[in-house]
Amino acid sequence: MKDIETGRNAAWREELRKALSAKERAAIPRAKMTQLDPEYRIRNSEEVNRGLNADEAILEASRCLDCPTPTCVEGCPVGIDIPGFIKNVQRGDVKAAAAVLGRTSALPAVCGRVCPQERQCESRCIYNKMKKEPVAIGYLERFAADMARENNLLPEDEISEPNGIKVAVVGSGPAGLSFAGDMSRRGFEVHVFEALHEIGGVLKYGIPAFRLPNAIVDAELDNLRRRGVQFHADTVIGRTFCYEDILQMGFKGMFVASGAGLPRFMGIPGENLIGVMSSNEYLTRINLMGAGTAGYDTPAPKGKRVAVIGGGNTAMDSVRTARRMGAEAMIIYRRSEAEMPARIEEVIHAKEEGVKFMTLCNPIEYKGDEKGRVKSVIVQRMELGEPDASGRRSPVPVEGAVEEIPVDLVIVSVGVSPNPLIPSSIDGLEVTKRGTLAVDESLQTSIPVIYAGGDIVRGGATVILAMGDGRQAAASMSKKLIENE
């Protein structure tokens, strides 16, 4: 089946596939994705966004103006040929669209769901200069990847002959998977080592199923397995195997993509109370360990009144998860909503699901009961002052404006630090003052056979930026290893 089956007639499709004028294309309104009703979705973990149907996708793809210089590509960290795959969607050729995506992205179905396109590719769309909504690149990427998978239209991989060189990957998150995909395509024997019991890294433990279903991640992993990538779960590099073991096993290169799994706290009184936890722990218990699910013994961190501290995507994931666990949930954030780093869509979804937003509020203390459990949070009201180094206006306290809010569970989501295990277990591996691995422009570390990327280098960042690092490191390492053969 080469052509997408649609509900419209052939004449309608053929008309759209003709060379429409720029004015006709610009007159087509941007597609709106169907979503589950908020009252229904807070009672389950079903995916909220339902995707575009074929008619909607073809119509949206027809909006692309075929810019001579496609600036949208410049905004993509992995360099997807965006006009190329979109034109194939417009023609109805899903297999060709998926093939274009697969040349540069190991995880197109994932990226179509969780990448902040509004800050990357879509922010560079020419429609922005025309004061119109950009082409829905993320929606179309998701559509092409899903349709290809569901209709068995995945393209044949263009894989080089095996070159006999083994490389190791530490961590199975987006950086590691992107690296593994590119290296396997180049003919390397790739082994990915994951510390946890499931492969996928933050895609599995950090992003809830209502935003990224596990079945989607598993399908992307299967694609990598078909390329020959080998995965090893429950393997902690630095404990199960040390760096010297990796060398003795015949690996010629190692890519460290162990992420930033060390949670940060604020250092305020009461953080050691029962019921105060990091977003990492909260989401891992529920997403990966089945907390609150029948048949699992993992303690369920439930609460009737839950406060999530922070304003990023992880905070939104946490607070929306708390709603699905039956809690009255709130976001406490020290800046205004306009300064929130979370995706606008996630903020809107949280509000639709009944989350209360307490902006310009900063926690200064947690109070506990006689059993040592958190019972309230003391917040200091804030106002915005001058911009800080990031360009956002700094919050400053409003004198005397302090409030006590009753809560029985607090989830702290104020950032993460790099996983310290690899840096501390390999002698001579240089780190920065922030605890990240020090790398050069090729992502090579102070030890020549070790490269690194993703959050272990950047600190907390996005899925697509981590994937971009994986691609860059693969290009650099493969060139170096082949030169040395």
Side-chain angles (χ1 to χ4, degrees), residues 85-253:
F85 97 79
I86 287 179
K87 287 296 113 177
N88 281 310
V89 171
Q90 185 187 352
R91 286 189 287 268
D93 195 340
V94 168
K95 188 169 185 177
V100 173
L101 289 169
R103 290 183 196 128
T104 53
S105 176
L107 309 168
V110 169
C111 291
R113 286 168 164 83
V114 303
C115 286
Q117 291 93 3
E118 68 276 10
R119 296 178 185 173
Q120 295 172 331
C121 55
E122 292 182 13
S123 73
R124 307 289 187 91
C125 179
I126 191 67
Y127 276 125
N128 292 300
K129 294 183 179 180
M130 300 164 62
K131 306 299 182 184
K132 291 181 177 292
E133 291 187 285
V135 174
I137 298 168
Y139 290 2
L140 293 175
E141 181 180 17
R142 168 183 169 152
F143 171 81
D146 286 357
M147 284 289 288
R149 181 185 68 255
E150 292 165 5
N151 293 283
N152 196 29
L153 292 172
L154 292 172
E156 294 295 324
D157 284 317
E158 301 170 3
I159 300 177
S160 300
E161 288 295 317
N163 58 28
I165 304 174
K166 290 172 60 176
V167 294
V169 184
V170 182
S172 66
L177 296 179
S178 181
F179 175 89
D182 274 24
M183 292 298 274
S184 63
R185 191 189 297 276
R186 288 178 164 92
F188 290 84
E189 181 183 331
V190 184
H191 293 254
V192 179
F193 298 96
E194 169 57 51
L196 299 178
H197 62 283
E198 285 197 27
I199 304 299
V202 69
L203 303 177
K204 279 286 185 75
Y205 69 76
I207 303 178
F210 57 78
R211 198 154 71 89
L212 178 62
N214 283 343
I216 299 298
V217 180
D218 289 337
E220 303 278 46
L221 293 173
D222 286 341
N223 290 337
L224 292 172
R225 289 188 178 97
R226 280 191 287 271
R227 292 186 192 175
V229 176
Q230 299 180 51
F231 293 100
H232 309 272
D234 300 310
T235 306
V236 183
I237 302 301
R239 290 292 183 271
T240 310
F241 298 122
C242 65
Y243 172 56
E244 288 73 20
D245 294 327
I246 293 292
L247 296 178
Q248 290 176 8
M249 292 161 69
F251 290 99
K252 303 300 183 182

